[in-house]
Amino acid sequence: MGSLQTPTNLSNKSCLCVSGRVVKGLRVERQVGLGFSWLLKGRRNREVQSLCVRSSVSDGSSIAENKYVSEGLLLGAERDAFGSVVGFQLIPHSVAGDATMVESHDIVANDRDDLSEDAEEMEETPIKLTFNIIFVTAEAAPYSKTGGLGDVCGSLPMALAARGHRVMVVSPRYLNGGPSDEKYANAVDLDVRATVHCFGDAQEVAFYHEYRAGVDWVFVDHSSYRRPGTPYGDIYGAFGDNQFRFTLLSHAACEAPLILPLGGFTYGEKCLFLANDWHASLVPLLLAAKYRPYGVYKDARSVVAIHNIAHQGVEPAATYNNLGLPPQWYGALEWIFPTWARAHALDTGETVNVLKGAIAVADRILTVSQGYSWEITTPEGGYGLHELLSSRQSVLNGITNGIDVNDWNPSTDEHIASHYSINDLSGKAQCKTDLQMELGLPIRPDCPLIGFIGRLDYQKGVDIILSAIPELMQNDVQFVMLGSGEKQYEDWMRHTENLFKDKFRAWVGFNVPVSHRITAGCDILLMPSRFEPCGLNQLYAMRYGTIPVVHSTGGLRDTVKNFNPYAQEGKGEGTGWTFSPLMSEKLVDTMKLAIGTYTEHKSSWEGLMKRGMGRDYSWENAAIQYEQVFTWAFIDPPYVR
């Protein structure tokens, strides 16, 4: 090939073209639009046949005035959904290589009718909008995880990136001096610092970065994240400075798209922020109160995702001044506790509630299941925010979580004794035998083995299991419980194991390989949760051919279809059993029905197993639904006070 000629004088009429070569390492200096590009479909390793743009930008400034052009050769423009130029692609000098100038075709920056022939051809087929998505979260697996939030923010970003979106996850860099610190080993210091003004002082934060599975994993580094314990507390309880730690996270997350040159260019201002739970709920408020009034992030949107509304980030009203918000925004966060909930007679009940503020100003609101999106609008499920959520019901949606189908796959799971699939269930029997041996239970293939995996607390309905166990143990069953939590329930599990030595086993603590073996080896999984925004264990169970028996609430009701043996001309339908109300008597009755089906109707039981195993649990389905919500978020103008 010849050489790519660079004009010495880049006027607003000049044009650069590339012909007939594969150009690697293409980068966008500033991508602030919805992110779809007819120019760089796939962004890397694309063969560009004939392409040219004018050297002007939408605001009329010349290319010569853009300092970044000196770093590479201009290739083409990045346009948003309405045809406006919002960024440019560059070929760095080091990879521009040799090419020849070809005949140019003018492209008018704000007129989609004058696109080049290549662009016109691409417009003949539907163009899928892509987004610059910023996840802000307190935890993201595998780096940090205490529950479902970590699972969602560790898997959903990768599913969205696989569908063509540019995705950044912003989370703290937790260092506790133990082996878990190695999870950040591949994250490198970007040597970029941001100064955050909050809590009456200027705080400096650093950013570490790892590019993995198509996602930019960004970790905010600050001394407050370097301590023993979980992301939220230690053996003595919750950290007293959690409001400070997550205020810092929200401020840093708002700065990250503007200042971090990831892959050679920033995410820019036209982003969609997905703020997860109260820890990140300050983000929508900062966009509306701190940035947008000054022309920054005027085209950004925010979505608040509620994983558990029981936790809202409520602190004394006097702490409002620490948040870095203007004084006139206090009303958005003001929260008054009812009289009965106050600590003493002189307590005025005045607090600030960051989740409440996010719900009030976010462009869209999401929960992790359709059932939960309804429950939080009720007095019983809204934890005091039901009226506000009801008033915003038009922008409230529920999307059921997916699961990591590679990690949870009975045909490849490295933790289980024998692999099996929907077409060959024989390995499940071996998994059951292996589990009985591991637990020291009598090896009885025909005895239904029941499992429970979860936190030992009031939400998970452990007290209902406690009440039901004496009657359940009268049946010919075996029962294993895995979990940790409140000491009274841990002690009860140990005591029950001594009472029913041949029927009950307690595994106090949590162990990932053991959880996989219980899921694969049990016949029934019990989940009597009082409320469950989505729930994952029932999804794992169905994928492993283990039948869930669940309380009819939230995501459990959405994902477990009640068994009907007479449907489909006697072939049956459903994937498990649900029960309501949450009473030990109702739990026992439903368990007896499941036990009877297992022992007396083997063909029906196999149908239940296969229907559960045949469902699509991947994050792909959830990602498609998230895309729809993101599209809706950009239809309406952003929140402006």
Side-chain angles (χ1 to χ4, degrees):
M1 282 188 176
S3 61
L4 177 64
Q5 303 296 322
T6 306
T8 57
N9 181 20
L10 287 176
S11 69
N12 283 350
K13 295 297 183 182
S14 65
C15 180
L16 296 180
C17 301
V18 181
S19 175
R21 63 164 291 164
V22 176
V23 182
K24 297 183 179 180
L26 298 179
R27 292 179 176 179
V28 181
E29 179 272 315
R30 179 180 174 91
Q31 179 179 339
V32 295
L34 291 179
F36 81 85
S37 173
W38 48 265
L39 198 56
L40 286 181
K41 188 178 182 182
R43 192 168 292 154
R44 291 181 175 88
N45 300 331
R46 182 183 173 203
E47 186 172 355
V48 182
Q49 297 296 337
S50 178
L51 213 47
C52 179
V53 296
R54 286 184 177 178
S55 59
S56 62
V57 294
S58 57
D59 62 0
S61 61
S62 68
I63 292 299
E65 294 171 343
N66 191 327
K67 66 178 180 179
Y68 291 100
V69 172
S70 63
E71 299 175 5
L73 303 179
L74 177 66
L75 177 65
E78 183 81 8
R79 294 171 178 268
D80 65 14
F82 306 101
S84 299
V85 174
V86 293
F88 291 95
Q89 287 78 29
L90 302 177
I91 306 176
H93 289 301
S94 60
V95 299
D98 295 329
T100 57
M101 287 292 293
V102 298
E103 182 180 356
S104 67
H105 306 278
D106 283 350
I107 300 175
V108 179
N110 289 307
D111 189 349
R112 296 179 68 185
D113 294 332
D114 293 332
L115 296 176
S116 69
E117 293 178 4
D118 286 344
E120 288 172 353
E121 289 177 4
M122 294 186 69
E123 282 198 338
E124 292 176 1
T125 58
I127 296 178
K128 173 182 173 289
L129 296 181
T130 59
F131 302 92
N132 296 332
I133 305 167
I134 315 297
F135 278 76
V136 188
T137 176
E139 53 185 274
Y143 307 100
S144 54
K145 173 188 169 182
T146 64
L149 173 62
D151 286 320
V152 172
C153 294
S155 297
L156 179 58
M158 293 188 292
L160 288 166
R163 293 182 57 78
H165 305 283
R166 193 178 186 206
V167 184
M168 179 197 303
V169 178
V170 184
S171 186
R173 182 172 177 256
Y174 300 111
L175 299 178
N176 57 26
S180 63
D181 292 358
E182 291 300 315
K183 295 176 181 178
Y184 301 98
N186 294 326
V188 298
D189 189 347
L190 291 173
D191 199 25
V192 176
R193 302 294 184 264
T195 300
V196 172
H197 295 276
C198 63
F199 281 74
D201 201 356
Q203 309 289 336
E204 185 179 85
V205 297
F207 297 91
Y208 283 71
H209 173 250
E210 178 181 358
Y211 183 78
R212 179 178 61 83
V215 175
D216 290 305
W217 304 89
V218 173
F219 306 103
V220 180
D221 185 60
H222 187 268
S223 58
S224 64
Y225 304 132
R226 305 181 211 134
R227 60 182 63 162
T230 73
Y232 314 114
D234 55 21
I235 58 174
Y236 302 104
F239 293 131
D241 61 346
N242 275 343
Q243 186 190 46
F244 168 77
R245 298 166 76 234
F246 296 118
T247 294
L248 205 63
L249 171 65
S250 295
H251 279 270
C254 290
E255 289 294 304
L258 303 175
I259 65 175
L260 300 184
L262 306 178
F265 57 97
T266 66
Y267 275 61
E269 295 182 27
K270 198 165 187 179
C271 295
L272 185 136
F273 287 86
L274 188 61
N276 292 273
D277 271 348
W278 78 264
H279 323 98
S281 287
L282 200 58
V283 168
L285 292 153
L286 290 171
L287 296 179
K290 178 182 175 183
Y291 291 93
R292 202 167 287 138
Y294 301 96
V296 183
Y297 284 133
K298 61 183 183 300
D299 294 320
R301 298 293 189 275
S302 63
V303 178
V304 59
I306 302 173
H307 300 259
N308 190 339
I309 201 170
H311 306 287
Q312 301 176 6
V314 178
E315 296 288 348
T319 65
Y320 175 81
N321 293 331
N322 295 332
L323 303 179
L325 292 171
Q328 62 268 28
W329 278 79
Y330 173 77
L333 286 76
E334 184 181 25
W335 180 250
I336 308 296
F337 271 106
T339 303
W340 61 265
R342 299 176 190 178
H344 49 76
L346 299 179
D347 184 0
T348 62
E350 296 179 17
T351 66
V352 288
N353 183 327
V354 291
L355 181 60
K356 178 242 181 178
I359 292 170
V361 306
D363 297 291
R364 304 288 304 192
I365 305 164
L366 278 174
T367 67
V368 290
S369 71
Q370 292 182 0
Y372 196 57
S373 70
W374 170 80
E375 285 183 5
I376 62 176
T377 64
T378 67
E380 296 79 13
Y383 282 79
L385 296 177
H386 57 282
E387 292 183 355
L388 175 60
L389 286 160
S390 295
S391 72
R392 302 219 65 201
Q393 204 156 14
S394 62
V395 296
L396 172 62
N397 298 97
I399 300 175
T400 302
N401 288 338
I403 64 173
D404 187 334
V405 294
N406 295 315
D407 190 30
W408 291 90
N409 185 348
S411 63
T412 60
D413 193 332
E414 63 182 13
H415 301 302
I416 63 178
S418 179
H419 294 153
Y420 59 97
S421 68
I422 190 173
N423 298 315
D424 181 7
L425 295 171
S426 58
K428 185 167 177 62
Q430 181 58 46
C431 289
K432 180 176 180 177
T433 298
D434 184 77
L435 180 62
Q436 289 172 326
M437 291 177 60
E438 181 178 4
L439 297 174
L441 289 169
I443 300 174
R444 300 184 55 202
D446 293 329
C447 177
L449 180 54
I450 305 164
F452 169 90
I453 302 171
R455 291 195 316 275
L456 304 179
D457 61 20
Y458 183 76
Q459 179 200 335
K460 299 299 181 181
V462 179
D463 57 313
I464 304 298
I465 298 177
L466 185 154
S467 299
I469 278 292
E471 188 170 354
L472 272 179
M473 292 294 99
Q474 302 306 311
N475 296 274
D476 187 18
V477 297
Q478 295 175 340
F479 202 128
V480 55
M481 293 183 67
L482 168 67
S484 62
E486 295 182 25
K487 186 177 184 300
Q488 59 173 326
Y489 295 131
E490 293 180 353
D491 293 342
W492 166 79
M493 282 171 52
R494 297 184 180 99
H495 175 69
T496 304
E497 181 176 309
N498 290 327
L499 288 179
F500 303 98
K501 296 184 183 297
D502 292 336
K503 289 189 171 186
F504 188 95
R505 287 294 181 270
W507 189 299
V508 177
F510 190 76
N511 183 293
V512 171
V514 172
S515 70
H516 280 246
R517 292 197 286 273
I518 290 176
T519 302
C522 283
D523 302 297
I524 299 169
L525 183 81
L526 178 60
M527 292 185 68
S529 303
R530 278 186 165 76
F531 66 92
E532 196 67 68
C534 177
L536 294 174
N537 285 332
Q538 83 279 11
L539 301 179
Y540 300 150
M542 288 186 286
R543 182 157 170 78
Y544 279 64
T546 300
I547 311 305
V549 175
V550 304
H551 176 220
S552 183
T553 184
L556 300 181
R557 180 176 57 241
D558 287 355
T559 55
V560 179
K561 190 172 183 180
N562 216 35
F563 176 54
N564 179 0
Y566 304 107
Q568 299 184 19
E569 299 180 351
K571 295 181 181 179
E573 67 176 9
T575 56
W577 282 270
T578 63
F579 65 91
S580 184
L582 184 61
M583 302 170 55
S584 60
E585 295 82 3
K586 193 67 175 178
L587 183 154
V588 170
D589 290 343
T590 307
M591 287 297 297
K592 286 181 177 179
L593 184 59
I595 293 166
T597 304
Y598 174 84
T599 57
E600 300 174 17
H601 303 281
K602 292 296 186 183
S603 61
S604 293
W605 192 265
E606 184 173 325
L608 277 164
M609 293 172 64
K610 290 187 173 181
R611 284 191 293 275
M613 297 178 74
R615 292 179 56 181
D616 183 359
Y617 302 98
S618 71
W619 274 105
E620 176 78 5
N621 286 335
I624 293 171
Q625 296 176 66
Y626 272 85
E627 288 173 344
Q628 179 63 75
V629 173
F630 297 162
T631 302
W632 290 336
F634 277 96
I635 290 176
D636 296 323
Y639 181 91
V640 177
R641 185 167 178 174

